[in-house]
Amino acid sequence: MRLEVAGEQVILHPERAVLWRDRAMVADVHLGKGDAFRARGLPLPPGELDDDLARLSSLGVSRLIVLGDLVHGAVSPHTEARVREWRRAFGGEVVLVTGNHDRHGVPPSWEVDVVHGVLVDGPFAFVHEPQPVPGFFSWSGHVHPTATLRGVADRLRFPAFLVGPDRAILPAFTRFSGGPSFRYNAEWRRFVTTGSVVIELLTGVGG
């Protein structure tokens, strides 16, 4: 889905990312979340880390901007090694605007440029928690927005991009995460992703 935002052409990508020039913006990747849950005794199947890393690679960019929560918490040896391997293969630049889950830091071996607070690039400001940034259009994450489509007998919830007049909120990149469903608000445009296509929800559709 192609949009014009602050005079720039961006693409809302089905893999829960925004493409702009040679960059991709993602939010709430939560690398290592599966390892953290399995360490607490939850019998979750493996594979979500490899899936998320493969999806990051599939974006085909040379600069990756993470809008907070690159990691879920303290990084396990398995997560550190697997992401280090991916990082060497990726080869591009990775920039993290820190979020609340990044308080333990990221391993130096990942070669991530860390920004605390606000990153400004062109007409855009990149932050973790949704907030206006005077003079810029801001991109954020943190709240993991979704939208719910209701049928006669059932309902489906999809990750959603929310785009307002001066800011936008990205869905959580990891599939291993839920989020609140946002109802229609005249200030915001809502776009859901099915994983293969991005669709704008019209006025009054979904909950």
Side-chain angles (χ1 to χ4, degrees), residues 98-116:
T98 57
N100 51 298
H101 279 272
D102 300 311
R103 60 186 176 275
H104 295 285
V106 296
S109 63
W110 293 1
E111 299 180 4
V112 174
D113 295 328
V114 176
V115 176
H116 300 284

Side-chain angles (χ1 to χ4, degrees), residues 37-118:
F37 276 61
R38 283 185 287 271
R40 297 172 189 167
L42 296 177
L44 300 176
E48 82 290 333
L49 179 59
D50 286 342
D51 177 63
D52 286 342
L53 295 176
R55 290 167 55 226
L56 288 174
S57 295
S58 74
L59 298 175
V61 296
S62 59
R63 191 176 198 223
L64 180 66
I65 301 174
V66 182
L67 308 181
D69 293 355
L70 173 62
V71 297
H72 186 67
V75 176
S76 71
H78 168 259
T79 298
E80 187 279 329
R82 180 65 188 91
V83 178
R84 171 166 31 95
E85 177 185 359
W86 169 85
R87 182 70 182 90
R88 289 173 178 170
F90 174 68
E93 182 181 6
V94 179
V95 182
L96 168 65
V97 180
T98 57
N100 51 298
H101 279 272
D102 300 311
R103 60 186 176 275
H104 295 285
V106 296
S109 63
W110 293 1
E111 299 180 4
V112 174
D113 295 328
V114 176
V115 176
H116 300 284
V118 180

Side-chain angles (χ1 to χ4, degrees), residues 123-186:
F124 298 141
F126 304 104
V127 294
H128 178 56
E129 296 190 20
Q131 60 185 285
V133 179
F136 297 92
F137 185 95
S138 71
W139 299 89
S140 65
H142 185 57
V143 296
H144 305 187
T146 65
T148 301
L149 302 183
R150 291 177 172 82
V152 175
D154 57 8
R155 60 183 183 177
L156 296 172
R157 178 176 291 189
F158 295 97
F161 300 87
L162 304 180
V163 181
D166 63 354
R167 66 188 113 160
I169 307 173
L170 275 63
F173 181 81
T174 181
R175 291 175 176 152
F176 194 32
S177 184
S181 182
F182 283 78
R183 294 184 177 276
Y184 171 74
N185 182 313

Side-chain angles (χ1 to χ4, degrees), residues 11 30 54 75 107 189:
I11 295 173
H30 289 276
V75 176
R189 297 172 69 183

Side-chain angles (χ1 to χ4, degrees), residues 190-206:
R190 296 177 305 159
F191 302 83
V192 298
T193 174
T194 66
S196 58
V197 65
V198 175
I199 304 168
E200 182 170 10
L201 297 185
L202 303 179
T203 302
V205 175

